[in-house]
Amino acid sequence: MCAHAWGLPNLTEAIKPGCRISSLIMETYDVVIVGAGLAGLQASRLLAENDLRVLLLDRKASVSQSVHTTGIFVRRTLEDFPLPADCLGPAVRDVTLYSPARRRLELHSNYDEFRLGRMALLYERFLEHAIRAGVEWMPGTQFLDARRMKHHSILILKHSEARIYAATRYLVGADGACSRVASALQLDENREWIVGVEEVLEHVPLVGRPRFHCFLDPRLAPGYLAWAVHDGEQVHVGVGGYPQRFDPLAALTQFRAGLGAIIDLSGARVIEKRGGRIPVGGVLRHLANRSGLLLGDAAGAVSPLTAGGLDPCLRLSQYAAQVISEYLRDGRREVLTAYSGELFRARFVSRLWMRRLIRTIRSQELMEIGCAMMRLPLLNSFAHHIFFGRGSFPDLNPTVRTTAADSASALRF
Ligand SMILES: Cc1cc2nc3c(=O)[nH]c(=O)nc-3n(C[C@H](O)[C@H](O)[C@H](O)COP(=O)(O)OP(=O)(O)OC[C@H]3O[C@@H](n4cnc5c(N)ncnc54)[C@H](O)[C@@H]3O)c2cc1C
């Protein structure tokens, strides 16, 4: 007879000959989703709405804990997904791009281009809707490993220092840039990333219109940007870059100290500090097999150029929910071949090349020249396109594209 599941050292131990594994399994699910970030929250609700039994788990005790994103949503996302209005800040239409010598290039749009999500609240709201759709939620639970059996996988989880086991027909890795699920499923893993750190500030006077200040400065932000977004209510001040080339926290301190001429931070109060890895190597190629698939950052679904990952989270989750539901309904493996990173990568070729180019610019002087060239009409419209264009993540299957109107009624936000 086997010992009780709790406290068993590992599954190999648990499934040794003679062990009745059924006595160890906590529950059996159609789908288990590891990670309750935007990708996991969105996918879990959609799958539960397709009448599947879904478990969503996260090692965090609450979804609002340790938010790591700035939370800038772009126009295309705001138009296509009905994000709850009270979870979004005022619209931003203006961008100022600064060269290393702080020469400015002003970009303006006639549309509401960006909104800063109030992310803790937004995650809570997504979770509420997922639970209402039938998702079972297990916070404080870490995914450790998975073993493939004939018709399902057995998951080894850690909850309150105890090991527990769950069985699932399908496993979804929405567990971020360093995905343990990807490695357990022997799918591709992210190899290239930048790191970003930021502070969220209050009590900062807004002069003029809400604005996204972007600083191209290889010293402070090697391979990416430093930013200060002021939407009139909050200011997010941050730096990002290749971790081998800078000390993010020291760069943030230096950046903040030099911001005084642009934003008056004298009365500012830091209300939150955020940070994390951002995969920038493009969507991974091998994203799915018959045991499971990857979503969001775990799938590398982040724009290699802008490092925006929130729009891809929502779009890819929608597509994945359709693929998984179909696969679990009729078991045809061909359904999974439609969930291939190769299909998405084709849309990112130019952005991957631009990432390679940006990665190579290490000198302030070269960046200064690049910024000066952006004043030329052709490159100026290119800068407009980068900031205000609508070229985010592709909608792979037009039939799954959701309009704000129809998903608003489905979501009842
Ligand atoms: C500083 C910073 C700023 C950014 N700003 C923007 C922005 O303004 N706009 C934009 O579009 N994108 C931005 N991004 C990128 C964007 O935030 C991410 O692409 C997006 O949040 C990824 O969501 P996700 O659900 O895939 O992963 P995550 O939000 O990382 O969620 C993964 C979840 O999995 C859980 N988890 C991990 N491992 C395990 C495990 N073993 N067991 C159980 N749970 C586990 C984690 O606790 C976490 O909750 C930013 C990223 C960073 C780091």
Side-chain angles (χ1 to χ4, degrees):
M1 261 306 257
C2 276
H4 191 270
W6 302 81
L8 272 175
N10 59 45
L11 194 69
T12 318
E13 176 76 8
I15 58 177
K16 67 188 175 193
C19 171
R20 281 199 301 121
I21 201 155
S22 56
S23 66
L24 300 167
I25 306 294
M26 207 179 57
E27 290 283 352
T28 301
Y29 297 91
D30 291 316
V31 186
V32 171
I33 299 182
V34 179
L38 198 65
L41 287 163
Q42 168 83 342
S44 65
R45 178 183 58 79
L46 294 172
L47 286 162
E49 283 172 355
N50 285 349
D51 292 328
L52 293 168
R53 186 173 183 208
V54 181
L55 173 70
L56 174 66
L57 59 91
D58 200 295
R59 62 185 173 198
K60 295 196 292 194
S62 123
V63 287
S64 50
Q65 188 185 312
S66 319
V67 170
H68 67 69
T69 179
T70 308
I72 300 171
F73 286 95
V74 295
R75 174 154 64 102
R76 185 164 171 241
T77 321
L78 297 166
E79 285 173 356
D80 288 353
F81 295 91
L83 302 178
D86 62 333
C87 300
L88 298 169
V92 179
R93 293 178 166 205
D94 291 276
V95 173
T96 306
L97 198 57
Y98 298 82
S99 72
R102 301 294 185 259
R103 290 194 179 87
R104 298 171 185 226
L105 178 67
E106 304 291 350
L107 303 168
H108 173 76
S109 167
N110 294 327
Y111 299 95
D112 293 347
E113 293 291 347
F114 311 108
R115 282 180 195 269
L116 278 169
R118 305 303 184 233
M119 295 307 288
L121 187 61
L122 186 76
Y123 289 141
E124 291 287 0
R125 199 65 61 77
F126 266 66
L127 180 62
E128 257 170 60
H129 285 274
I131 291 171
R132 210 180 299 158
V135 170
E136 294 172 51
W137 165 230
M138 194 185 275
T141 306
Q142 191 184 358
F143 168 84
L144 297 179
D145 207 351
R147 295 284 185 279
R148 179 73 199 165
M149 311 301 276
K150 196 164 177 211
H151 297 295
H152 56 267
S153 296
I154 294 170
L155 311 185
I156 312 171
L157 310 172
K158 189 169 151 199
H159 181 83
S160 308
E161 293 310 313
R163 272 163 204 248
I164 54 174
Y165 303 92
T168 185
R169 293 171 66 202
Y170 210 68
L171 173 63
V172 173
D175 51 340
C178 306
S179 169
R180 206 158 180 165
V181 173
S183 116
L185 289 174
Q186 296 179 318
L187 295 171
D188 283 355
E189 295 173 59
N190 291 303
R191 301 266 175 246
E192 181 181 352
W193 50 74
I194 54 174
V195 292
V197 288
E198 72 163 22
E199 289 178 348
V200 186
L201 309 160
E202 271 184 352
H203 303 310
V204 180
L206 174 69
V207 179
R209 294 189 290 257
R211 188 170 296 273
F212 187 0
H213 302 267
C214 291
F215 299 78
L216 291 168
D217 186 329
R219 224 170 1 100
L220 287 175
Y224 190 54
L225 295 171
W227 63 92
V229 196
H230 197 331
D231 71 2
E233 294 174 1
Q234 288 186 352
V235 182
H236 293 239
V237 175
V239 295
Y242 284 98
Q244 310 81 352
R245 294 206 214 149
F246 80 142
D247 172 348
L249 291 175
L252 179 59
T253 308
Q254 196 187 339
F255 175 53
R256 211 188 127 166
L259 260 183
I262 296 166
I263 301 178
D264 176 10
L265 296 178
S266 55
R269 191 170 69 93
V270 179
I271 54 169
E272 223 179 308
K273 294 186 181 203
R274 300 179 180 176
R277 286 184 181 189
I278 312 177
V280 288
V283 186
L284 301 173
R285 289 186 162 83
H286 188 209
L287 288 181
N289 59 27
R290 68 192 178 98
S291 305
L293 59 70
L294 305 176
L295 281 182
D297 277 12
V302 174
S303 163
L305 184 62
T306 64
L310 297 173
D311 185 82
C313 276
L314 294 173
R315 280 179 214 281
L316 195 57
S317 299
Q318 196 165 276
Y319 185 59
Q322 196 190 49
V323 168
I324 296 167
S325 304
E326 220 171 303
Y327 175 63
L328 293 183
R329 199 169 48 238
D330 58 25
R332 283 186 309 117
R333 286 220 202 158
E334 307 81 79
V335 175
L336 297 175
T337 57
Y339 197 82
S340 157
E342 298 292 355
L343 295 173
F344 310 99
R345 282 182 79 86
R347 283 288 296 269
F348 285 100
V349 173
S350 58
R351 276 169 264 188
L352 280 165
W353 276 107
M354 281 190 269
R355 160 110 326 263
R356 280 178 204 133
L357 181 70
I358 291 171
R359 195 172 49 199
T360 57
I361 301 182
R362 289 173 182 245
S363 103
Q364 301 285 98
E365 291 72 24
L366 204 56
M367 185 60 89
E368 196 64 43
I369 294 169
C371 290
M373 285 169 64
M374 272 192 234
R375 290 169 203 289
L376 303 173
L378 188 68
L379 286 183
N380 191 282
S381 50
F382 178 65
H384 260 269
H385 177 71
I386 300 282
F387 282 98
F388 304 141
R390 304 181 79 251
S392 185
F393 207 75
D395 279 316
L396 272 164
N397 181 345
T399 60
V400 295
R401 190 169 182 277
T402 318
T403 64
D406 59 27
S407 44
S409 60
L411 281 163
R412 286 180 299 279
F413 274 129

